[in-house]
Amino acid sequence: MKIFQNFDLKERNTLGLRANTKYYTEPESVEELKAILSDDSYNEIPKMVMGEGSNILFTGDYTGLIIHPSIKDIRITDEDADYIYLRAGAGVVWDKLVEFAVDRGWGGIENLSSIPGCVGAAPVQNIGAYGAEAKDTIFRVEYLTFEGLVDKTLSCEECRFGYRDSIFKRELKGRGVITYVTFRLSKIPAINAGYEDVKQAMKGVSEPTIFQVREAISSIRAKKLPDPAVVGNAGSFFKNPVVNKSLALQLKESYQDLKLFPAGENEYKLPAAWLIDKCGFKGSRTGNVGVHANQALVLLAYEGATGEELINLSKTIIKTVKERFNVDIEPEVNIC
Ligand SMILES: Cc1cc2nc3c(=O)[nH]c(=O)nc-3n(C[C@H](O)[C@H](O)[C@H](O)COP(=O)(O)OP(=O)(O)OC[C@H]3O[C@@H](n4cnc5c(N)ncnc54)[C@H](O)[C@@H]3O)c2cc1C
């Protein structure tokens, strides 16, 4: 299998940032992955896994080996009267999996239509959109450790999913490769069209199908979000902050238009986009970086932008939000 040297990553990250990696490889099976990882040449160097690079910010060159799992098979492993168990390789393009499921009438991931990236990355931050999260359908995750090449299988509970969070962003961060994910999809799909935009798009449709939900969400996303092929971005740059009840209510009293979303006992999630917008950043540009005019959560990397410029802009935003609202926001994007 080919190991590329001094590999250019500019076309491999949706922010379009310039960076090289010392080594790069695309194993097509677990066996190929094991063969590389047991090669002594790569034992001592840093290793990193990368899917489509749609949630990664490179601040410079990478001095180790980047592994892009290219395991692309999709297979039914089990089924009963209600569910299909679908096992997909880490390298399957996420939206292809959604299309595959929706075309067959299997429900559960249609609200996650058109999210960029690979299947292997979906459990990492528990991707979510339009009232659904990957964790709602993930049945098990197969994972190969760098150390000792141990095959592990994690149940949904063991993945410890949270809002844009999982064990793969914590204890298992940088420790190995997700090779397969098995999803439990419903043969009798329940339509999840509660989100305002989706509700609007479905107006007049008496019994929407998952196909129509997928179509509506893809079209809403295409209108709202910038296309990385046109201007570099990584989707939402920041997570929505969760704050305690007393701060949330205090803010609500001062700002009637602030929406609060209950997030567990005595806590509320606040829309980071609203906070950033109120601080005046929406639609702004500094040098080669800026904030999207339609969605303040999305930072833009124009041609020639560097990771450092983006980090500086994000720090300015974080500081301004803290000073104005006493709320800490943090990046969702993985900074390397
Ligand atoms: C326009 C746009 C819109 C977006 N909208 C959404 C959205 O609505 N909801 C949402 O949740 N996200 C969204 N994102 C973020 C992104 O699409 C997701 O985080 C996606 O899952 C990243 O997939 P990827 O393959 O590009 O992963 P990468 O960006 O390549 O990697 C992300 C992280 O996962 C790790 N990783 C990747 N693959 C593996 C693996 N096989 N094993 C172990 N670790 C791995 C990487 O090391 C890295 O830490 C958006 C991004 C863009 C550009």
Side-chain angles (χ1 to χ4, degrees):
M1 193 206 348
K2 203 158 166 91
I3 309 272
F4 299 90
Q5 286 198 31
N6 296 321
F7 188 82
D8 184 352
L9 297 166
K10 181 163 165 45
E11 302 294 326
R12 305 285 171 135
N13 71 101
T14 60
L15 281 164
L17 300 174
R18 283 211 171 279
N20 276 9
T21 174
K22 190 159 184 200
Y23 301 107
Y24 180 87
T25 187
E26 298 186 336
E28 289 177 10
S29 63
V30 175
E31 291 66 39
E32 282 194 4
L33 176 59
K34 284 185 176 168
I36 300 160
L37 293 174
S38 36
D39 183 329
D40 287 344
S41 332
Y42 308 109
N43 260 351
E44 301 298 324
I45 60 169
K47 288 175 244 340
M48 175 182 149
V49 191
M50 191 172 159
E52 298 281 297
S54 62
N55 204 11
I56 290 183
L57 187 167
F58 286 104
T59 50
D61 290 341
Y62 189 68
T63 54
L65 168 68
I66 289 189
I67 300 160
H68 171 77
S70 208
I71 308 167
K72 289 192 187 282
D73 52 303
I74 303 179
R75 212 160 49 84
I76 296 173
T77 55
D78 202 359
E79 70 180 290
D80 55 31
D82 299 323
Y83 296 105
I84 283 278
Y85 294 78
L86 206 56
R87 180 180 185 247
V92 172
V93 169
W94 172 258
D95 199 50
K96 289 279 168 213
L97 180 74
V98 180
E99 183 183 44
F100 184 92
V102 169
D103 281 354
R104 286 158 182 78
W106 302 330
I109 51 177
E110 60 280 358
N111 286 43
L112 305 178
S113 289
S114 298
I115 296 182
C118 290
V119 163
V124 176
Q125 74 155 6
N126 175 27
I127 54 170
Y130 296 96
E133 287 183 307
K135 74 167 174 56
D136 305 335
T137 52
I138 289 177
F139 181 67
R140 75 165 76 93
V141 174
E142 290 163 66
Y143 182 85
L144 179 73
T145 63
F146 288 144
E147 203 181 310
L149 299 188
V150 182
D151 288 302
K152 284 179 181 272
T153 301
L154 288 91
S155 67
C156 182
E157 292 70 36
E158 285 169 325
C159 292
R160 279 193 257 131
F161 291 120
Y163 164 63
R164 299 294 183 274
D165 197 18
S166 74
I167 193 167
F168 308 106
K169 287 193 95 171
R170 295 176 182 267
E171 291 94 312
L172 294 183
K173 187 179 164 77
R175 298 281 187 85
V177 186
I178 292 169
T179 52
Y180 281 95
V181 184
T182 301
F183 298 86
R184 192 181 78 146
L185 302 175
S186 177
K187 287 181 175 175
I188 309 136
I191 299 297
N192 175 359
Y195 238 73
E196 199 43 46
D197 289 351
V198 186
K199 222 191 269 175
Q200 286 301 323
M202 288 296 143
K203 231 178 181 172
V205 183
S206 57
E207 281 182 34
T209 63
I210 53 172
F211 184 80
Q212 287 168 314
V213 170
R214 169 170 165 75
E215 295 270 285
I217 287 176
S218 296
S219 130
I220 296 165
R221 292 180 66 99
K223 280 185 209 130
K224 270 196 165 175
L225 293 169
D227 179 356
V230 178
V231 56
N233 75 91
S236 301
F237 195 94
F238 300 100
K239 291 198 245 185
N240 290 318
V242 175
V243 301
N244 64 45
K245 189 176 175 181
S246 85
L247 176 57
L249 296 183
Q250 194 186 316
L251 287 169
K252 180 75 184 168
E253 214 174 289
S254 313
Y255 305 95
Q256 312 294 305
D257 57 331
L258 170 64
K259 285 197 179 122
L260 305 181
F261 301 92
E265 229 175 89
N266 283 324
E267 286 189 319
Y268 284 90
K269 196 190 278 176
L270 310 181
W274 184 94
L275 300 168
I276 297 167
D277 187 7
K278 278 280 170 203
C279 291
F281 288 105
K282 198 168 169 181
S284 66
R285 177 170 178 166
T286 316
N288 296 318
V289 295
V291 180
H292 189 44
N294 296 342
Q295 169 52 278
L297 266 188
V298 179
L299 299 195
L300 303 175
Y302 297 100
E303 192 52 42
T306 62
E308 199 188 344
E309 279 180 287
L310 271 174
I311 299 277
N312 287 341
L313 173 61
S314 74
K315 282 185 180 160
T316 306
I317 293 174
I318 290 169
K319 187 166 172 276
T320 313
V321 167
K322 176 73 178 170
E323 282 168 0
R324 172 126 185 225
F325 299 109
N326 193 25
V327 172
D328 294 299
I329 55 169
E330 55 175 282
E332 174 183 312
V333 170
N334 299 279
I335 296 167
C336 302

